[in-house]
Amino acid sequence: MSYIKTPHILVPAQDVDKSKWSVVACDQFTSQPHYWEDLSLAVGDSPSTLNLIFPEVYLEQDDAPQRIANIHATMRSYLNGGMFESLREFVLVDRTLSDGKHRIGLMVAIDLETYEYTPDSAALIRATEKTVVSRIPARIEIRRNACIEVPHIMLLMDDRDDSVLGPLMAKRDTLQRLYDFDLNMNGGHVCGYVADDPDRIKAAVVRLLDPQVLRAKYGDAERPVLFAVGDGNHSLASAKECWNQIKTALSAAEQQRHPARYALCELVNLHDTSLVFQPIHRVVMGADREFIDWLRTRMSGDSSVRLVWRAEEFTVQASSSPSDAIADLQKAIDDYCRAHREIAVDYIHGEDNLLEVAREKDAIAIFMPTIDKNSLFDYVRRRGVLPRKSFSMGNAEDKRYYYEAKKIKW
């Protein structure tokens, strides 16, 4: 079994302005509508993946049904109007980040039958963070009648020898270049190449599950994890739920070849030197000093976390284990919110963005701890998912930009 499939990818036609086509993931800048307003002005009337996604900043607005209808109509228009070129290849992605480092990925199709997002799952592809089930229905509503997907999902692999992507990078200059352009809104630069030798790639992925390799990394080969979701967990969970609904009406043979069974993702090595885990901070809106005092009664430990409210700094004791501290903080926040329905919480990438939102909303900024990425796979393998929004792979501007698409309907 290869576990990954060579994807049937759709890329924008040559005459499409790539810098306007490609936009950042929909779950970024959720408390900063001005980002999306500026992006919309920059894109203008040009063909763009902005017209194929639903930025989460707008999810609570009354025009959601019309937005979804427009997304579906635009998808059909793009698909039937010659907006795409088609290829069946793995694609090597070289992303230059805001700090100048390069993040290397590979566009693959994964079988949704090998993925689960439930906390006690033993699937080969697993969520790393708790899935907020209430966030799935809106995404399912978008996907249910969608004819294509444009993913921002990033999967991580614990490939310490760089056996999957390393050989491709070593011969990158000999590969066919598909695209090469600057990303908008300070997103850096991205290049894409046709990744040849698909059989070698699949074989290298299979070797990651070799019991001897697993024992060398973790001490045993129990509950192996092939890929862990780094970004886009709720999008992948929605794809899984839609597939579960679709397959009930299909024969066994039809299930094997239906395009919705396979999700397009970017595969990234956990040990890529550019990949730095960063915290996802919390901003608590509608709260005041009472919340800070209450939080201090609920938290303990030999470390601390920093809070800012109205330019004044506070500290709260917390565990020195980042994962435990995050779990304790999230539980305390959730408990307080249940007792105070007027309180709202948002999740913010980057300290500057956190302080900006806190100032604008007269909210409390909570600076969250940072998880050690090298412990991620062993944690998921042994203990299951982390609390939701426990970590981020880079700043908001460094998140995956939409570019490639894939058909998900016959």
Side-chain angles (χ1 to χ4, degrees):
M1 187 174 183
S2 65
Y3 304 110
I4 60 173
K5 182 183 173 100
T6 306
H8 188 178
I9 288 179
L10 303 173
V11 294
Q14 289 298 315
D15 60 348
V16 172
D17 185 334
K18 309 301 188 297
S19 290
K20 294 183 178 181
W21 171 264
S22 190
V23 305
V24 79
C26 66
D27 57 351
Q28 300 305 302
F29 302 102
T30 54
S31 290
Q32 295 163 282
H34 61 80
Y35 175 94
W36 294 98
E37 293 162 2
D38 292 345
L39 175 59
S40 181
L41 289 173
V43 167
D45 295 330
S46 296
S48 177
T49 52
L50 180 60
N51 303 318
L52 306 178
I53 65 169
F54 198 147
E56 290 192 2
V57 68
Y58 302 127
L59 276 179
E60 301 302 321
Q61 294 188 359
D62 294 337
D63 65 346
Q66 186 58 53
R67 281 182 177 271
I68 294 172
N70 291 342
I71 288 170
H72 294 154
T74 305
M75 285 179 172
R76 291 189 294 270
S77 173
Y78 284 4
L79 188 60
N80 298 326
M83 197 65 67
F84 292 109
E85 296 177 357
S86 174
L87 65 150
R88 192 178 294 274
E89 303 282 358
F90 291 117
V91 175
L92 182 71
V93 180
D94 181 356
R95 171 76 177 276
T96 305
L97 304 175
S98 57
D99 60 3
K101 294 181 180 178
H102 289 248
R103 183 178 68 218
I104 308 304
L106 186 72
M107 297 306 298
V108 304
I110 60 106
D111 187 347
L112 289 169
E113 291 291 328
T114 65
Y115 159 75
E116 293 289 348
Y117 61 84
T118 51
D120 57 349
S121 170
L124 288 174
I125 303 176
R126 298 182 207 168
T128 51
E129 299 177 332
K130 183 178 179 181
T131 300
V132 184
V133 178
S134 63
R135 291 179 61 191
I136 295 179
R139 293 170 183 256
I140 291 176
E141 188 63 27
I142 296 168
R143 190 179 181 91
R144 181 178 290 116
N145 293 314
C147 57
I148 60 174
E149 63 176 1
V150 281
H152 65 267
I153 300 160
M154 293 180 64
L155 298 180
L156 301 174
M157 57 182 168
D158 190 1
D159 185 10
R160 301 180 186 184
D161 296 327
D162 200 18
S163 61
V164 178
L165 300 181
L168 288 171
M169 282 300 294
K171 59 178 180 179
R172 177 183 55 178
D173 292 342
T174 69
L175 301 178
Q176 175 190 347
R177 187 173 301 193
L178 290 174
Y179 51 82
D180 183 351
F181 63 96
D182 289 329
L183 295 162
N184 55 45
M185 304 294 287
N186 301 312
H189 191 88
V190 66
C191 297
Y193 305 84
V194 173
D196 62 3
D197 200 2
D199 291 339
R200 185 208 64 80
I201 293 170
K202 294 175 183 177
V205 167
V206 170
R207 281 196 294 273
L208 295 176
L209 289 175
D210 184 290
Q212 186 174 346
V213 172
L214 292 171
R215 282 192 289 268
K217 288 192 286 192
Y218 312 119
D220 62 64
E222 302 300 317
R223 293 175 57 85
V225 180
L226 178 61
F227 304 141
V229 182
D231 269 337
N233 181 63
H234 287 86
S235 293
L236 196 56
S238 300
K240 174 73 172 185
E241 289 306 311
C242 284
W243 168 240
N244 284 342
Q245 295 171 14
I246 291 169
K247 70 180 182 181
T248 59
L250 301 177
S251 68
E254 289 171 332
Q255 288 184 24
Q256 287 292 328
R257 58 188 178 88
H258 196 287
R261 173 171 176 157
Y262 301 92
L264 190 61
C265 308
E266 182 177 353
L267 183 59
V268 177
N269 189 358
L270 176 69
H271 305 286
D272 188 309
T273 55
S274 75
L275 202 62
V276 177
F277 277 19
Q278 296 183 352
I280 301 179
H281 305 296
R282 274 54 167 170
V283 59
V284 183
M285 295 169 281
D288 54 22
R289 180 61 185 266
E290 177 188 285
F291 167 75
I292 299 172
D293 293 339
W294 182 87
L295 193 61
R296 284 172 165 165
T297 68
R298 295 292 301 273
M299 300 291 296
S300 62
D302 50 6
S303 187
S304 64
V305 294
R306 182 165 67 106
L307 285 71
V308 172
W309 180 51
R310 295 181 176 176
E312 186 176 356
E313 292 201 6
F314 305 84
T315 58
V316 172
Q317 296 304 113
S319 171
S320 57
S321 164
S323 57
D324 289 338
I326 292 168
D328 293 343
L329 280 164
Q330 189 61 58
K331 185 179 186 308
I333 293 169
D334 290 344
D335 289 347
Y336 193 84
C337 287
R338 277 192 289 270
H340 300 79
R341 296 296 183 182
E342 73 279 9
I343 302 299
V345 179
D346 201 0
Y347 304 89
I348 308 296
H349 300 264
E351 293 187 358
D352 290 343
N353 290 334
L354 174 67
L355 291 172
E356 177 186 343
V357 172
R359 283 194 300 269
E360 290 178 352
K361 309 272 187 186
D362 190 26
I364 296 173
I366 304 179
F367 294 77
M368 300 295 281
T370 305
I371 288 175
D372 176 12
K373 73 173 185 178
N374 294 314
S375 66
L376 178 67
F377 268 67
D378 193 45
Y379 182 97
V380 172
R381 191 178 66 91
R382 291 183 296 102
R383 298 182 57 184
V385 297
L386 292 157
R388 69 183 185 273
K389 298 288 188 180
S390 289
F391 68 92
S392 168
M393 298 190 303
N395 297 319
E397 293 84 355
D398 293 332
K399 292 301 186 178
R400 185 165 209 283
Y401 273 54
Y402 302 102
Y403 187 81
E404 299 85 356
K406 186 180 81 68
K407 289 180 66 174
I408 54 176
K409 280 190 182 295
W410 271 332

